Amino acid sequence: MTPEESHWASPLQPPPDIVATSLGAGGLEARAVSFRGSAHEHFSEPRQDSFALASDAEWLVVAVSDGIGSCEMSHHGSLAAVGAVVTAFQAGHLDPQNGAEVLRVAAEGVAAAAATLGCLPDSLSATLSVAAIERVAQVDGSHHVILHAVGDSPTLLLDPAMATWTYLTAGEDGPGNIVRSWVPGMHEDHISLGVSLPPASLLVIASDGFTTPLGDGTGPLGRELAVRWGGGPRAIFPFMVDLSFNGYHDDKTVVAVWNSEAGEGHV
């Protein structure tokens, strides 16, 4: 059970300021952390980001959601979105390859949370990014990945050897960072795509509290993380320390998935 799972069944609970977990699935190693941003702390606002992880014999599934700041109950929406996706997947009721179904399940989860809270579903609006990673590697050691996303919570690929970060999904939604798709109201306006996770590379699913200071990855932060993460999967506490900087004042959520098929990593 991940730290966030204990909150799915009771959306009235305020989210903790920090949650972190790890999950191994064959040659895949996932590390996840979510921090409450200093701006939210200053204004007595809750952490609005959420994540969830799960695996079965075929897939490792990662979900990251960022509650939309203008929606006062969005921290409940983000938690409900990731919880609904992972709960349905674990129950065998969701094919993580089906983007429309993944987003529908998330939207229904948010709507159910709104009903529990006695408020309109729009007040729980949140972004959502879901990655389904095949556990069985290809002959060359790579893993197939299917991504589904609404909003501006991006997914990236890190090649530690070259210290290059590649955005696989968009990192922002235009002038003023106005979000144009979300769950539950705009979940049909999602994108789905397939990518490959090469050996010794990392898939990173994050909120914009991480990618805004990261930028294109060529600055000090991107170069330093490429060095720290390039030696193999980090233990959870060093991973948290890696991301404990306060460069943007927003909530910061990062799930990193190492493909260790090429050889042994270190912690």
Side-chain angles (χ1 to χ4, degrees):
M1 175 174 286
T2 70
E4 299 231 340
E5 285 184 23
S6 61
H7 299 276
W8 296 347
S10 183
L12 295 177
Q13 295 185 40
D17 288 353
I18 303 172
V19 289
T21 194
S22 60
L23 179 64
L28 301 169
E29 287 288 340
R31 306 290 183 264
V33 65
S34 183
F35 293 95
R36 181 189 187 194
S38 58
H40 287 184
E41 182 178 2
H42 177 76
F43 291 106
S44 299
E45 297 170 344
R47 177 175 55 86
Q48 296 174 329
D49 287 2
S50 299
F51 69 79
L53 313 174
S55 67
D56 63 9
E58 187 175 2
W59 300 98
L60 168 62
V61 172
V62 175
V64 170
S65 181
D66 181 355
I68 295 174
S70 60
C71 302
E72 62 178 344
M73 306 293 280
S74 65
H75 55 294
H76 295 301
S78 68
L79 191 58
V82 300
V85 169
V86 169
T87 298
F89 166 71
Q90 290 177 314
H93 300 153
L94 179 64
D95 178 1
Q97 301 175 91
N98 187 332
E101 184 71 2
V102 167
L103 272 296
R104 182 190 64 79
V105 165
E108 290 179 353
V110 175
T116 299
L117 293 163
C119 59
L120 294 174
D122 281 352
S123 66
L124 276 70
S125 296
T127 71
L128 180 65
S129 293
V130 177
I133 310 164
E134 280 192 331
R135 289 188 54 172
V136 177
Q138 302 301 299
V139 174
D140 64 356
S142 64
H143 289 259
H144 287 159
V145 182
I146 301 173
L147 304 174
H148 313 295
V150 289
D152 62 352
S153 296
T155 301
L156 307 89
L157 187 67
L158 170 61
D159 179 350
M162 301 299 293
T164 54
W165 297 79
T166 302
Y167 282 80
L168 304 174
T169 59
E172 52 87 22
D173 276 283
N177 197 29
I178 298 173
V179 180
R180 292 178 171 82
S181 59
W182 55 85
V183 290
M186 295 289 290
H187 60 278
E188 294 182 358
D189 188 20
H190 72 278
I191 63 167
S192 293
L193 67 153
V195 298
S196 179
L197 178 60
S201 296
L202 285 77
L203 187 74
V204 177
I205 306 95
S207 65
D208 60 358
F210 170 69
T211 55
T212 297
L214 177 71
D216 65 3
T218 61
L221 176 61
R223 296 196 304 269
E224 178 65 22
L225 290 181
V227 171
R228 294 190 185 192
W229 295 354
R234 299 280 272 173
I236 190 62
F237 182 72
F239 182 73
M240 294 172 68
V241 172
D242 293 343
L243 296 166
S244 61
F245 59 87
N246 189 19
Y248 183 48
H249 309 296
D250 195 6
D251 295 341
K252 178 168 64 264
T253 298
V254 178
V255 182
V257 181
W258 277 262
N259 177 1
S260 300
E261 293 291 343
E264 294 291 328
H266 69 264
V267 294

